[in-house]
Amino acid sequence: MKSLCTMTIMLALIIAEAVLAAPTPVAKPEQALWLRRLIPLPKQVTIEKKVELPGSEVKVTPAKGADEVIETAAGELRDLFKEKAGADCTAGSFEILIGVCDPSGKLGDLTVDGAAGLAKLPNNEQAYVIRPVGETRLVLAALDSRGVYYAVQTLRQLLENGFRDGRVAIPLATVTDWPDLAERGEWGGSAVRDIVWMSHYKMNLVESHVSLGMNPDGRGHAQADQEQVDLSRRHALNFVPILTHLNGLARTGVYNAYPELRGKGDRAVHPTHKRLVAPCCSQPKLAEIISDWMCSLAAQKGVTDISAWLSELRNQYCDCPKCRATGLGQYAQETRLLVKAWRMACKKHPKLGLRILLTQGSYKTNDQVLAEVPPEVDVTYYDGGRTYDSSREPMIYPLLESYAAKGGWLGCYPQLTASWRIVCPWSGPQFIKSRMNEFVDKKLQCLCGYATPDNRLYEFNVLAAAEWSWNARGRDEREFAAAWATRRGSKDPDTAAEWAVTLGPVGWDVYGSRVPFSNFFGRSAAMVARRRKPKLGEGMFRYFPTIEHMDKDLAACNKAMEIAKRLDDPLVAETRVIQGYMQMIKTIHAIATKVAASKQPAYAERMSLQKALGTLTKTGIDTVEALQEWEGLCGKDPDARIGGSRLVDTVDVTEKTVADIGHALERLGVRNPVSSFLREEIGTWVTDDFDQGHHVTKTFDVTDYVRTAGTYEVGFKYTSGWNGLGISRVVLASAPADKPDQRTEVSADKHSGSAAVRNRANVYTVTLKQHDPAARYFIAADVRGTPQKGRPPERQGCNGLVWMKGRRPSDWRARIDQARPLTDEELAKKH
C-alpha cells in the first residue's frame, strides 16, 4: 500500500514538473522575433525568459473591483486561449493577473515592480506595466482600466503565434509603456465599423456624426448610436459625437423651426449649394438649440466629449447688423457661440468636454478663433487643402505650433492615405512617420486621422499611425514595415520591409504632387491642350525637380516590383498602380514639352507624339486594371467593392486624363485608335432639366465616341444637390448625318437604376453590331429627377454627368502599336 502511494506521489510530481516546466532563457534573436509581433512597440520591453505549458494550465484573473473595460480585456484574453488551445482559462497553475493598482504600485496585497512610477509618466492613465512574479505568475497593472486594457493588448499580440498542439509559450516579459499622444484615432471611413480592431492596436478615439434634429416643442435633440458608444467604452476608446459644420445646419430642421437663425445677406447662402447657410450667431436661440444638442448627447452613457465643427467654406458669413457690430469674423463669432452653448450645457453636465474644429473657412482668422477659446476647451485642426494633404511640408503651422507649445490642447485631422478624394494604394512608412513625429514634437495631444473609404485599403498606413503616435521614437521605417509584414503573415517579413521602404518614397513623390488628385482632374489635359510648357518642381511635377529624379523613381518601382513578385498579389497590384502613375507623369511631361515646342509638329514629331500617346494609353489602362485588382485583394470578399464611389472616381479620372490628352493631340494629327474604349463624359443633367416635370428624356450626340462596332457601357454619376437621379431606360440610336432627327433605335437596356450618393444599377449596356461611318449616333436616356418648385432651398438640386465607354477588344494593344499619325496631306485636308 505504501509503495502504491509513493508511486502515485512520484507520478504526480512528474506530471507537475512537466506542466510547470522551469522557465527557459530567450536568446536575443528569439526576443527580436517576439517583439516583431507587437504594434505599437512598447517604450520599454525585454523578454529574457519564457515558460511553455498546456493552455489549460493558464488562468486569467481580473483583480477585485474590475470594471467593464478590464472584464472586456480579460474576455479577449480568454477568447484567444479558447480559439488557439481550447482552454477556458478559469483554473490553472499559471496565473495572468490583471487589474488597477494604487499609486504606490500595490495590486491587492501584491506590490508590482515598477508600477509606482506610472504616475510620473506622460498620459499616465494609459500607462501600464507587465511583470513576471516568480515562475507561475504574470501581472498586468495600471493606474486606470484603460492602461490595463492596453497591457492586455500587448500580451495578446505576444501570445498569438505561440500556440502549438494545445500548448502555449508565454513570454515572461518586463514592460513599461505609455503613449506619446493622448488620443489616437479616426473619423469617417470605416472608423465606427472598426472600433474593436482599432482598440487592439491601442487607438482610442472615434469621432462620428450623429443625428441632430428638432422636437415639436422647438427644442433640439441629438442621438449617437448607443451600441457604438457602449462598444467604444468597453474597449477603452473615446466615442466623440460630432456637431456638424455650422454652415450645414439646414439639414437639422433648425431653420424650419426658427427661420431667423439663418444668416442674412448675399454671402450667407452658398451660390450653388443652397443648403449650405452661414448661421446668424447673434441669435440667442441658436445657442439654446446647440446647448440642447449637447445636453442630449451628454445624457448618453459613455459620451464625455463633443466635437463641434466651425463652418467649412471660405467667405461665407452672416451680414446682419448685429453680427457686423461685433467686429469679429464669422468663425470667431461661431466659436463664441459654441463656447456659450457649452457653458449652458455644463450647468447640467459639468464634466462635459468640448473641442472646436478649425476649418479651411476659418484658416485666415484662426488667430481670432483661438482668442475666443478658453483654456478648458480643446482645439482640433482641419483644413481640406492643408491637412488632407500628402506633401512633404510640415502640417502644423507657426500659429498652432505656438498654441500647443504654450499648453493649448491641440489635435489634428490628417489624411492617412494618398488623398481624401481619390482611392489609391500606398504603404508609406516614411510619410506616416514624418507626420506622427511632427505631431509629437510639436506637443499635440490628438490624432484624428482620415482613411476613407475603408481601413482595409490602408491597413499599413493606419497601423503605422497607431505605431508612431504611441511610440514616435521606437522603430525606424524598415523595422515597422517588418513588424507589419510579420503580423500580416508574410513568408518573408524582411523582404516585405525592403519593398515598403523602396516604394514608399515614390508614392510620396506621386501623391505629394497631387497625382491623380487634383492634377488629373482636368489640369494635366488642359496643360497639353493649351500647349503650356511644363515646369519641373511645380504642379503635378512638384516633387520631380529633374527628369533624372523621375528615372530614379521608375527604377525604384522596378526594384519594388521584383520584390513584390516574390511575395504576394496585393503588393504586386499596389506596385503596378504607383509605377503606372509614375510612368504617366513622365510621359505627360514629355508630351507637354513636345507640343509646347512647336506650333505644328512635323511628321517625325507627330510620330514621336504618337508613340508617347501609345505609352500613356497603355499605362493608363494598366493602372486602372491594377487599381481594381488591388481593391479586390484588400477585402475579405473579392467581389465586395470596398473602394466605393471614390475608387470609381479614381478609375474615371485616370481614363479621362488619357482620353482628354488624346483629344488634344488629335488636333495635331495624332491618332488614338482606342479612344472609344476609354471612359468619356458625354453630357450632364442639371436641376433645371426637371422644371416642367419629374420625367424627361435626355439625348446626347455620341458620334465622336462611337467609332467602332461593339458593346458600350453608359453610366450615370451624381455630382451635387440634395436629390439623386432615377434611370429607367437607355437607348443607342442612329440617324443619317444630314437628318439627325430621323433616329432608329439600335439597342436598348431597360432596368431601374439610380445615381446618388449611393448608386444602384447605374450602368447600362448597349450594342452596335455594325458601325456606319456616315451615320450619327445618339444616346437617349429616360430619367427621373426632382424639380425645385415647392421645395425648401436646402433640399434642392439634382446634378450629375453621363459617361460612355466601349468594351476593349482583345487586340487593343496591337491597335495602339500599329497606329500612325496623319500624313501632311491628310492633316492639310482635315484642316
Side-chain angles (χ1 to χ4, degrees):
M1 188 69 177
K2 288 184 178 180
S3 177
L4 180 60
C5 288
T6 302
M7 290 179 63
T8 302
I9 293 170
M10 290 179 63
L11 181 60
L13 289 173
I14 291 170
I15 293 172
E17 185 179 358
V19 170
L20 298 175
T24 57
V26 175
K28 286 187 177 180
E30 184 181 1
Q31 178 177 199
L33 289 174
W34 233 319
L35 297 185
R36 270 193 177 183
R37 300 174 188 171
L38 297 177
I39 294 178
L41 179 70
K43 291 287 202 313
Q44 300 171 10
V45 53
T46 59
I47 304 173
E48 296 181 353
K49 295 181 179 181
K50 65 180 178 181
V51 62
E52 295 190 39
L53 69 164
S56 58
E57 283 298 316
V58 177
K59 65 177 178 180
V60 175
T61 307
K64 186 177 180 180
D67 64 9
E68 61 180 342
V69 175
I70 294 176
E71 291 292 354
T72 298
E76 291 181 336
L77 199 50
R78 293 188 188 108
D79 288 345
L80 178 66
F81 276 86
K82 186 71 174 178
E83 175 192 350
K84 300 286 190 178
D88 59 16
C89 293
T90 56
S93 52
F94 187 96
E95 181 181 42
I96 299 174
L97 175 64
I98 66 175
V100 172
C101 62
D102 66 22
S104 68
K106 293 196 72 173
L107 181 57
D109 295 331
L110 177 67
T111 299
V112 183
D113 179 42
L118 291 174
K120 298 178 182 179
L121 296 175
N123 304 308
N124 56 48
E125 76 285 352
Q126 300 175 61
Y128 66 90
V129 295
I130 299 176
R131 293 290 190 273
V133 177
E135 298 181 352
T136 61
R137 204 181 218 187
L138 196 62
V139 179
L140 285 62
L143 298 175
D144 186 279
S145 58
R146 288 168 286 183
V148 176
Y149 187 84
Y150 299 138
V152 169
Q153 301 318 309
T154 297
L155 182 60
R156 284 179 71 249
Q157 290 185 8
L158 286 170
L159 293 173
E160 282 170 343
N161 288 339
F163 291 88
R164 297 289 185 277
D165 301 322
R167 295 177 66 82
V168 61
I170 299 179
L172 300 180
T174 297
V175 182
T176 302
D177 197 16
W178 66 94
D180 287 326
L181 291 184
E183 290 192 354
R184 310 158 304 279
E186 294 181 339
W187 88 276
S190 62
V192 294
R193 300 195 302 273
D194 292 337
I195 287 169
V196 176
W197 178 79
M198 289 195 297
S199 74
H200 288 170
Y201 292 95
K202 301 187 177 71
M203 298 184 91
N204 66 341
L205 171 68
V206 163
E207 291 199 8
S208 175
H209 285 293
V210 296
S211 171
L212 302 175
M214 300 296 296
N215 288 326
D217 64 359
R219 296 180 65 87
H221 68 82
Q223 178 70 43
D225 186 313
Q226 191 62 53
E227 288 187 10
Q228 293 173 358
V229 176
D230 292 344
L231 186 66
S232 300
R233 187 183 65 251
R234 291 195 300 270
H235 288 82
L237 189 145
N238 190 14
F239 184 100
V240 178
I242 294 168
L243 299 186
T244 189
H245 290 296
L246 290 182
N247 62 331
L249 294 183
R251 62 177 67 106
T252 69
V254 65
Y255 297 145
N256 295 333
Y258 301 100
E260 68 273 19
L261 303 186
R262 292 170 60 95
K264 313 301 188 296
D266 293 340
R267 299 299 311 186
V269 182
H270 191 279
T272 57
H273 296 76
K274 302 297 184 183
R275 69 184 185 279
L276 297 178
V277 183
C280 178
C281 298
S282 299
Q283 297 285 342
K285 177 58 71 174
L286 185 54
E288 292 178 20
I289 300 299
I290 294 174
S291 180
D292 289 342
W293 289 334
M294 291 180 175
C295 286
S296 294
L297 294 167
Q300 292 188 235
K301 182 181 179 182
V303 173
T304 59
D305 300 274
I306 290 173
S307 179
W309 291 7
L310 299 178
S311 290
E312 190 172 22
L313 302 180
R314 302 178 182 92
N315 300 319
Q316 191 177 16
Y317 54 87
C318 175
D319 197 30
C320 77
K322 286 186 177 180
C323 287
R324 284 202 306 271
T326 65
L328 296 173
Q330 176 72 23
Y331 308 98
Q333 290 187 68
E334 290 181 0
T335 304
R336 182 176 289 183
L337 171 76
L338 291 170
V339 171
K340 179 181 179 181
W342 171 71
R343 292 197 190 284
M344 294 166 63
C346 284
K347 293 177 181 179
K348 293 183 179 179
H349 303 279
K351 293 184 178 180
L352 179 65
L354 174 66
R355 54 194 66 180
I356 293 176
L357 178 77
L358 310 175
T359 68
Q360 63 258 34
S362 73
Y363 180 80
K364 290 185 178 180
T365 58
N366 277 345
D367 55 340
Q368 295 181 22
V369 170
L370 294 179
E372 294 293 325
V373 177
E376 61 270 26
V377 170
D378 302 335
V379 174
T380 51
Y381 171 48
Y382 148 77
D383 183 308
R386 294 179 176 88
T387 66
Y388 288 175
D389 172 62
S390 297
S391 76
R392 297 176 183 269
E393 304 306 309
M395 185 163 285
I396 307 303
Y397 65 105
L399 174 70
L400 298 184
E401 185 177 355
S402 174
Y403 178 80
K406 292 175 182 177
W409 194 102
L410 181 66
C412 187
Y413 285 56
Q415 66 186 30
L416 302 176
T417 63
S419 167
W420 68 273
R421 181 64 178 80
I422 52 88
V423 179
C424 290
W426 187 20
S427 300
Q430 295 89 349
F431 164 63
I432 298 294
K433 189 173 192 293
S434 173
R435 284 279 185 262
M436 297 305 108
N437 276 211
E438 180 191 3
F439 295 167
V440 171
D441 290 347
K442 292 182 177 178
K443 303 186 185 305
L444 270 66
Q445 298 290 324
C446 170
L447 158 72
C448 191
Y450 190 49
T452 186
D454 196 290
N455 283 325
R456 300 293 84 70
L457 295 167
Y458 296 105
E459 185 173 293
F460 184 103
N461 282 12
V462 173
L463 295 185
E467 170 80 21
W468 285 307
S469 62
W470 180 280
N471 187 356
R473 295 293 186 269
R475 290 180 170 122
D476 64 22
E477 295 88 340
R478 185 181 297 272
E479 289 167 338
F480 167 76
W484 163 81
T486 298
R487 292 200 57 77
R488 191 169 174 268
S490 172
K491 59 187 178 184
D492 188 347
D494 289 311
T495 299
E498 177 68 13
W499 169 83
V501 298
T502 299
L503 191 61
V506 183
W508 206 354
D509 284 347
V510 171
Y511 301 132
S513 298
R514 294 187 178 252
V515 173
F517 181 80
S518 53
N519 282 304
F520 273 19
F521 280 63
R523 294 182 182 178
S524 57
M527 176 178 61
V528 174
R530 295 169 187 171
R531 306 177 79 165
R532 294 198 302 262
K533 186 177 180 179
K535 295 182 179 180
L536 293 171
E538 296 183 11
M540 67 179 290
F541 311 108
R542 179 179 185 180
Y543 291 119
F544 302 101
T546 63
I547 298 299
E548 289 74 19
H549 189 101
M550 294 184 187
D551 290 337
K552 181 182 176 181
D553 275 1
L554 284 169
C557 289
N558 292 335
K559 178 183 176 182
M561 183 61 79
E562 291 176 4
I563 298 170
K565 286 178 178 178
R566 302 201 302 267
L567 295 168
D568 53 29
D569 291 341
L571 306 192
V572 172
E574 177 170 338
T575 309
R576 284 180 62 201
V577 173
I578 294 175
Q579 185 177 42
Y581 282 126
M582 187 62 245
Q583 183 62 60
M584 290 180 76
I585 289 169
K586 183 179 180 183
T587 306
I588 291 170
H589 181 270
I591 289 172
T593 301
K594 292 176 189 295
V595 299
S598 174
K599 258 191 172 182
Q600 182 54 61
Y603 185 80
E605 294 169 319
R606 294 200 297 276
M607 191 67 208
S608 178
L609 284 170
Q610 184 76 61
K611 290 181 178 178
L613 179 61
T615 297
L616 180 66
T617 304
K618 287 187 285 187
T619 303
I621 292 172
D622 287 343
T623 303
V624 162
E625 289 180 347
L627 272 168
Q628 294 167 327
E629 179 186 1
W630 165 72
E631 178 196 25
L633 292 168
C634 286
K636 293 180 180 178
D637 179 1
D639 295 325
R641 312 316 294 178
I642 59 176
S645 61
R646 293 189 183 184
L647 187 129
V648 173
D649 286 351
T650 310
V651 168
D652 288 354
V653 76
T654 302
E655 288 195 353
K656 191 175 188 305
T657 296
V658 174
D660 288 350
I661 290 175
H663 291 319
L665 295 182
E666 281 182 334
R667 295 194 291 270
L668 302 178
V670 177
R671 303 180 200 266
N672 187 352
V674 298
S675 61
S676 293
F677 312 118
L678 298 171
R679 196 171 304 213
E680 299 265 18
E681 181 182 326
I682 62 173
T684 63
W685 76 85
V686 296
T687 307
D688 293 347
D689 290 336
F690 308 102
D691 281 350
Q692 303 305 313
H694 292 268
H695 296 272
V696 301
T697 298
K698 294 286 295 180
T699 303
F700 311 100
D701 188 332
V702 294
T703 307
D704 290 341
Y705 310 115
V706 178
R707 301 184 180 186
T708 183
T711 299
Y712 290 82
E713 294 178 345
V714 180
F716 297 80
K717 178 180 175 182
Y718 157 90
T719 56
S720 66
W722 180 267
N723 308 287
L725 182 80
I727 314 104
S728 57
R729 188 169 183 262
V730 170
V731 171
L732 173 64
S734 66
D738 58 344
K739 298 176 182 179
D741 293 333
Q742 295 182 11
R743 297 173 194 155
T744 302
E745 183 176 307
V746 174
S747 176
D749 184 350
K750 183 178 181 181
H751 70 260
S752 178
S754 62
V757 175
R758 291 181 176 85
N759 297 315
R760 179 180 58 81
N762 63 320
V763 177
Y764 290 72
T765 302
V766 292
T767 301
L768 180 64
K769 293 184 178 179
Q770 185 172 346
H771 180 260
D772 181 358
R776 299 200 68 79
Y777 292 95
F778 300 86
I779 288 292
D782 295 334
V783 298
R784 182 184 70 260
T786 304
Q788 298 183 87
K789 189 175 181 180
R791 297 181 65 81
E794 66 271 12
R795 292 182 177 245
Q796 294 179 3
C798 181
N799 307 289
L801 60 86
V802 186
W803 57 263
M804 187 173 188
K805 174 184 176 181
R807 291 182 180 169
R808 289 192 300 274
S810 59
D811 66 341
W812 66 273
R813 289 182 186 275
R815 295 189 187 195
I816 291 174
D817 293 338
Q818 294 164 8
R820 295 294 181 269
L822 298 179
T823 64
D824 291 342
E825 293 78 9
E826 289 171 324
L827 191 58
K829 186 177 180 180
K830 179 179 179 181
H831 290 315

